[in-house]
Amino acid sequence: QVQLVESGGGLVQAGGSLRLSCAAAGRGFSINAMAWYRQAPGKQRELVARILSQGSTNYADSVKGRFTISRDNAKNTVYLQMNSLKPEDTAVYYCNARVRGIIDYWGQGTQVTVSS
């Protein structure tokens, strides 16, 4: 089975930083893209950042210039460096992996709370 193991969430003050990690463990698959989504209470889940296998990235407008997504393909791991955090960034962050362009896998989510 493919498992997405997330880490790095927590409570930080506004202006602080966190680094999220998501490692995909399994065999018999090739990951085409990995991404981070987030969902705040009462809000729709939204794409935060995505990185494709060829290296291209895209970000939500709300996090451009503050968040950076990166990957380690050898480890099937994606990172999200979050700087200059704002209370509006408070949400459950979910790791996503697209396998062979067909199937999406999701992590269990990690809570990020930014206090004012």
Side-chain angles (χ1 to χ4, degrees):
Q1 292 183 331
V2 175
Q3 293 181 318
L4 300 180
V5 181
E6 300 168 327
S7 63
L11 172 65
V12 297
Q13 294 284 333
S17 297
L18 285 173
R19 183 173 182 258
L20 305 183
S21 299
C22 175
R27 63 184 298 271
F29 67 92
S30 178
I31 296 177
N32 303 112
M34 298 188 76
W36 289 96
Y37 290 73
R38 67 186 181 187
Q39 187 168 22
K43 306 283 286 186
Q44 295 289 323
R45 186 174 298 186
E46 64 173 344
L47 175 67
V48 177
R50 185 190 304 277
I51 185 165
L52 304 181
S53 59
Q54 66 267 32
S56 61
T57 59
N58 61 284
Y59 297 89
D61 288 342
S62 60
V63 307
K64 287 181 179 177
R66 300 188 297 119
F67 292 9
T68 303
I69 189 169
S70 60
R71 74 185 193 279
D72 183 338
N73 286 337
K75 297 181 178 181
N76 287 328
T77 299
V78 64
Y79 306 93
L80 185 68
Q81 179 66 46
M82 304 185 294
N83 298 326
S84 301
L85 282 162
K86 304 175 180 179
E88 306 92 273
D89 296 317
T90 296
V92 178
Y93 284 69
Y94 296 91
C95 178
N96 168 271
R98 177 156 291 177
V99 177
R100 296 181 176 177
I102 301 174
I103 302 172
D104 284 336
Y105 292 89
W106 294 89
Q108 293 177 318
T110 183
Q111 177 70 47
V112 172
T113 302
V114 184
S115 61
S116 60

